[in-house]
Amino acid sequence: MTDNFLEDLLNQMTLEEKAAQLTQVVGSFMKGSSTSGEITGPMEEMGITEAMIENAGSVLGTTGAAEIKEIQRQHLDKNRLGIPLLFMADVIHGYRTIFPIPLAIGSSWDLKLAEESAAIAAIEAAVSGLQVTFAPMVDIVRDPRWGRVMESTGEDAYLNGEFAKAQVKGYQGKDLKNDLTRVAATVKHFAAYGVPEGGREYNTVNMSERELRETYLPAYKAAIDAGSELVMTSFNTIDGIPATGNKELMRDLLRGEWKFDGVVISDWNAVRELIFHGVAEDDREAAFKAINASVDIEMMSSAYVNHLQALVEEGVIDVELINESVLRVLKLKEKLGLFENPYRGADEQLEKEVILSDSHRQTARELATKSCVLLKNGSALPLKKEQKIALIGPFAGNKDILGSWSALGSKEDAITLSDGMRMQLDGENLLIAEGCAIENGTELELHHALEIANQADVIVLALGESSDMSGEGGSRSNIKLPQIQLDLVEKIAALNKPTVAVIFNGRPLDLHGVVDKVDAVLEAWFPGTEGGAAIADLLFGVANPSGKLSMSFPYSVGQVPVYYNQFNTGRPQVAPDVRERYVSQYLDIPNEPLFPFGFGLSYTTFSYSEMKLSHDVMTLDEPLKISVSVKNTGDVAGDEVVQLYIRDISGEIVRPLKELKGFEKVSLKPGEEKEISFTLTEEQLRYHHKDLTFTSDNGEFIAFIGTNSSDVQSVPFRLEK
Ligand code: BGC
């Protein structure tokens, strides 16, 4: 099928049909949907008529092969030119087999598994009739008050970029037309949605263009370079202009400078929200601004379908603006093979065979095992099977462990921590009590838990936030565990028994009141369908923790935003423990987070040899080779994430104290030693200068290698171009 075919199709379309082609609605608006109703309520409110629906271009949120086929069939019956619908949905960390939340996947530093999990999500979605996923979400996140940090792989531009590429590859594969097990990816939320002021959802984002380019854009760019077919606009403003109506951002930068020729879709109702932001008086002006910015598809508002035609007929916009958007949507349909096969991968039989298969669950378990981060360990972990264990806390048997954005994930499929521990233990050695619910509890529950704890040799506390305490609309000013759980920790700690806390949550928390009271802390995030099995593997030492935080855990909420690649300031602290007054610090808390980026413990120990640089001057044609030997000096096999950072000592623009430039995850048996080497090139030393050029500065640099962003060794070098 050629571009001529698409051009011909475009030429046959009326303006009305074109505007509808650019409109995306939910499945319940469609004929053939099991939830479809009369054209009342929401449709009427949006001013959407039956004729518009017959010409609509895409549908979001509907899943299931049978249902999608039926909607498509009825649509093609009515649609004058036989243009198939596109079906899209949020498949973010799994479809029905749910993987750990993306922030946990970030903590795995395992790009291969990230790609595999995306490929599994894709096949489950594709056999269920979906053709596009609204993922990956690659917003850089530095403020754990914001509930959507759970949906990103973390705070670092480089790491997010690497995960972005892996996920796009996993979702899309190499050939969307012929590989029916894949779906098109949508990188989101363009741009910089992850830094709303005060961590308050949908709030203003304010930064210079230089900062935007430096830190926030590279991860989107990485996804686009990896071939992401779609980009979703963000809800926020950038320098006072909402992204969805931001011509400089979308048409000039994304399309002009980056040459992105795929589909740009607005976020939910974001075109209409231009009115609430205060940059459009009404739907008509909102439509004008969005199409002018080159937003192709309007999701769940109706400014395009109601106003684009008039805007053209009255000469306010050139019809070419609409034509190019429609053509991009048609091209995506063509790329997915929908003109030949409008039902694409939808297959009821395959749904039964593939979804939640054993092998998918196995990968979910593996990824969950690799995503948990051991934050503290005295000697309580690993647990011994002969011990009498009391499992206490609101997450002991809680199935709410899938996390927000878990598509068709069902809590019923989830393996809880108590299920997982029972799989490893004979029943007599495991005593279970909740102690309290997530946010409240009774004396009786507490009393029962203490009774059980008293009988045990070791206590496992299963604590956390419910999944709706993070995710979209889940901003919080208090990032501690609910008081009732802190009280429970206090009472249990008073028993003076070895105690391990396992924490389920969607954001970095202020863990004071936990870390200081227990022997060991395992950050489990929302670990997904196989969560309990994976955590039990780690608790009993069947698997060795290897996760490393991809987002700093603040010392307290007052420190937020806290991230590893901060600037030095003109008055840095001399050292963390030297308290002088007129330096950049807090009087009451340290500057350092409680747990830094890149941090995570293991049941084994690793020793690093002295790092070596191939030479001490880097030139344009002579990159540096930086190497180090890492040895497993403990008794069990383990994985270590070896991290490479740099610092540019003096630039035109102040440079961060550290910038991640590479990492390698290495598996080592006890006593085994491996040499890890990185190549560092001049290109990796470039940054955006005042005039926005992307170049490097001659002069002094430091290379660091370490086990996390703060525990590093360093060697200076110079760049001479
Ligand atoms: C979210 C997007 C999501 C969309 C569709 C919006 O509220 O911000 O991330 O893709 O809904 O569900």
Side-chain angles (χ1 to χ4, degrees):
M1 212 160 272
T2 59
D3 273 8
N4 279 348
F5 161 78
L6 298 180
E7 297 276 357
D8 286 351
L9 196 53
L10 181 70
N11 289 335
Q12 294 173 56
M13 292 171 81
T14 63
L15 262 179
E16 221 174 331
E17 285 168 334
K18 289 175 184 172
Q21 187 61 220
L22 302 181
T23 300
Q24 177 164 103
V25 292
V26 286
S28 55
F29 287 18
M30 311 301 295
K31 289 264 158 31
S33 156
S34 58
T35 50
S36 76
E38 297 294 306
I39 308 174
T40 49
M43 266 177 70
E44 208 168 67
E45 273 163 35
M46 284 172 71
I48 289 188
T49 64
E50 207 159 333
M52 290 170 182
I53 290 296
E54 282 171 16
N55 291 317
S58 56
V59 170
L60 84 155
T62 293
T63 56
E67 174 139 3
I68 284 183
K69 280 185 184 168
E70 186 53 23
I71 295 175
Q72 188 76 293
R73 194 186 61 74
Q74 295 207 24
H75 180 76
L76 290 172
D77 261 5
K78 296 266 181 195
N79 187 275
R80 185 177 72 92
L81 295 166
I83 303 175
L85 284 165
L86 258 179
F87 290 88
M88 313 193 181
D90 292 282
V91 179
I92 310 288
H93 53 115
Y95 175 80
R96 176 78 185 265
T97 307
I98 301 300
F99 297 94
I101 55 170
L103 192 56
I105 297 180
S107 305
S108 75
W109 296 60
D110 194 322
L111 302 174
K112 199 173 144 277
L113 269 180
E115 182 183 331
E116 244 175 87
S117 69
I120 289 174
I123 187 172
E124 292 195 359
V127 298
S128 306
L130 290 170
Q131 299 134 4
V132 175
T133 177
F134 297 136
M137 185 279 214
V138 305
D139 305 327
I140 300 293
V141 289
R142 291 173 164 181
D143 190 335
R145 291 172 298 182
W146 191 48
R148 293 191 87 166
V149 300
M150 52 76 50
E151 212 181 319
S152 162
T153 44
E155 73 185 36
D156 184 63
Y158 171 74
L159 190 60
N160 273 21
E162 293 299 293
F163 275 111
K165 287 190 258 177
Q167 292 179 71
V168 169
K169 253 165 104 186
Y171 288 125
Q172 295 193 166
K174 292 200 184 88
D175 179 2
L176 278 172
K177 185 170 261 180
N178 295 306
D179 184 352
L180 303 185
T181 68
R182 308 287 179 152
V183 292
T186 308
V187 62
K188 69 188 188 185
H189 304 83
F190 196 70
Y193 179 40
V195 266
E197 278 180 5
R200 201 185 75 210
E201 182 68 295
Y202 313 128
N203 203 4
T204 308
V205 170
N206 225 338
M207 67 178 70
S208 68
E209 181 179 348
R210 210 197 60 77
E211 166 78 347
L212 180 71
R213 286 177 180 268
E214 178 81 9
T215 307
Y216 294 90
L217 295 186
Y220 307 108
K221 180 72 164 50
I224 290 167
D225 290 347
S228 181
E229 291 290 348
L230 298 93
V231 170
M232 186 185 289
T233 70
S234 57
F235 286 127
N236 54 281
T237 55
I238 301 269
D239 197 15
I241 304 187
T244 309
N246 194 323
K247 182 171 165 294
E248 283 71 33
L249 184 67
M250 299 295 168
R251 191 176 286 283
D252 300 349
L253 191 146
L254 176 67
R255 298 219 186 266
E257 206 181 310
W258 291 4
K259 310 268 177 281
F260 177 71
D261 195 29
V263 168
V264 173
I265 183 167
S266 82
D267 202 341
W268 180 290
N269 197 39
V271 174
R272 181 127 227 274
E273 286 173 18
L274 296 178
I275 302 171
F276 302 103
H277 274 295
V279 295
E281 281 195 359
D282 48 24
D283 270 0
R284 178 187 151 99
E285 196 178 3
F288 168 77
K289 292 212 160 169
I291 198 79
N292 217 24
S294 88
V295 173
D296 301 316
I297 299 182
E298 178 185 12
M299 184 199 294
M300 278 312 278
S301 53
S302 50
Y304 278 10
V305 87
N306 284 310
H307 298 284
L308 283 185
Q309 184 175 355
L311 284 169
V312 173
E313 285 167 358
E314 290 160 25
V316 182
I317 59 170
D318 192 324
V319 69
E320 272 319 304
L321 287 190
I322 297 177
N323 286 348
E324 66 182 45
S325 282
V326 173
L327 200 56
R328 282 192 285 259
V329 174
L330 296 179
K331 271 190 183 157
L332 178 60
K333 293 184 174 184
E334 200 273 327
K335 247 188 190 174
L336 285 156
L338 292 178
F339 289 103
E340 288 101 343
N341 176 8
Y343 307 104
R344 204 170 172 269
D347 185 322
E348 292 91 326
Q349 186 52 35
L350 279 179
E351 275 184 309
K352 289 195 193 104
E353 289 166 24
V354 162
I355 289 175
L356 210 63
S357 70
D358 287 350
S359 81
H360 290 182
R361 293 192 75 133
Q362 187 49 41
T363 308
R365 181 168 179 171
E366 200 184 334
L367 187 47
T369 312
K370 302 226 157 138
S371 301
C372 293
V373 184
L374 184 63
L375 295 176
K376 178 180 180 184
N377 193 16
S379 54
L381 285 176
L383 302 174
K384 291 169 205 62
K385 294 198 176 161
E386 333 53 273
Q387 290 172 311
K388 190 159 260 205
I389 300 169
L391 172 61
I392 291 171
F395 275 90
N398 199 331
K399 284 187 170 282
D400 183 18
I401 59 170
L402 303 183
S404 197
W405 291 113
S406 52
L408 253 71
S410 157
K411 287 184 190 164
E412 294 323 304
D413 303 328
I415 298 187
T416 66
L417 183 52
S418 56
D419 298 336
M421 289 178 79
R422 276 197 207 100
M423 284 153 67
Q424 306 261 356
L425 273 186
D426 102 45
E428 279 182 13
N429 270 352
L430 185 63
L431 309 167
I432 302 175
E434 269 203 342
C436 63
I438 289 174
E439 293 191 90
N440 50 51
T442 62
E443 278 300 317
L444 197 66
E445 282 171 310
L446 176 63
H447 179 74
H448 180 50
L450 288 172
E451 243 176 32
I452 278 180
N454 263 317
Q455 298 165 38
D457 303 316
V458 56
I459 300 159
V460 175
L461 282 171
L463 310 168
E465 291 191 331
S466 62
S467 60
D468 60 7
M469 288 166 84
S470 56
E472 185 170 356
S475 291
R476 293 180 64 84
S477 66
N478 175 359
I479 55 167
K480 283 180 155 254
L481 283 176
Q483 191 56 43
I484 189 88
Q485 296 188 53
L486 295 176
D487 294 345
L488 177 69
V489 175
E490 176 119 38
K491 294 268 169 19
I492 295 285
L495 301 178
N496 277 322
K497 296 196 175 203
T499 302
V500 177
V502 179
I503 303 176
F504 295 82
N505 51 300
R507 59 159 58 78
L509 293 167
D510 167 357
L511 287 177
H512 283 99
V514 181
V515 171
D516 41 316
K517 304 254 183 247
V518 299
D519 303 272
V521 179
L522 183 70
E523 171 56 62
W525 307 110
F526 287 112
T529 310
E530 287 285 322
I535 297 164
D537 281 346
L538 293 168
L539 292 180
F540 287 104
V542 176
N544 189 351
S546 61
K548 303 255 191 180
L549 299 177
S550 61
M551 187 174 177
S552 310
F553 269 48
Y555 189 92
S556 76
V557 73
Q559 211 184 35
V560 164
V562 62
Y563 46 93
Y564 84 93
N565 42 2
Q566 304 215 339
F567 299 126
N568 203 32
T569 80
R571 292 194 178 184
Q573 283 183 319
V574 179
D577 49 350
V578 178
R579 307 300 286 182
E580 283 172 10
R581 181 147 185 126
Y582 296 104
V583 296
S584 179
Q585 66 181 4
Y586 299 101
L587 291 177
D588 53 346
I589 57 166
N591 283 4
E592 290 69 35
L594 194 57
F595 297 107
F597 176 82
F599 178 84
L601 301 171
S602 165
Y603 293 152
T604 189
T605 45
F606 299 100
S607 74
Y608 281 64
S609 72
E610 213 172 280
M611 65 190 272
K612 290 205 179 65
L613 268 53
S614 51
H615 23 279
D616 49 16
V617 176
M618 181 198 281
T619 61
L620 283 183
D621 15 80
E622 212 162 11
L624 285 189
K625 194 176 151 212
I626 304 175
S627 51
V628 73
S629 264
V630 183
K631 184 172 182 183
N632 181 343
T633 47
D635 302 330
V636 288
D639 291 351
E640 168 71 334
V641 181
V642 182
Q643 301 161 38
L644 171 73
Y645 298 88
I646 62 136
R647 178 175 174 196
D648 184 345
I649 292 296
S650 166
E652 183 204 46
I653 304 285
V654 292
R655 308 305 307 139
L657 285 168
K658 285 192 191 96
E659 293 174 77
L660 183 72
K661 291 293 171 185
F663 64 91
E664 193 169 324
K665 194 165 182 177
V666 56
S667 297
L668 294 170
K669 297 195 193 73
E672 196 182 359
E673 182 165 8
K674 275 190 193 155
E675 181 169 287
I676 310 294
S677 53
F678 300 97
T679 304
L680 191 68
T681 63
E682 179 273 335
E683 212 173 312
Q684 288 168 281
L685 307 183
R686 295 180 193 172
Y687 66 91
H688 291 89
H689 283 59
K690 183 82 190 83
D691 61 2
L692 300 183
T693 53
F694 190 61
T695 56
S696 57
D697 296 318
N698 273 337
E700 201 182 332
F701 286 79
I702 302 179
F704 307 87
I705 281 191
T707 180
N708 63 59
S709 63
S710 101
D711 189 2
V712 290
Q713 49 173 317
S714 61
V715 176
F717 69 92
R718 292 188 68 77
L719 173 67
E720 286 176 13
K721 292 190 282 185

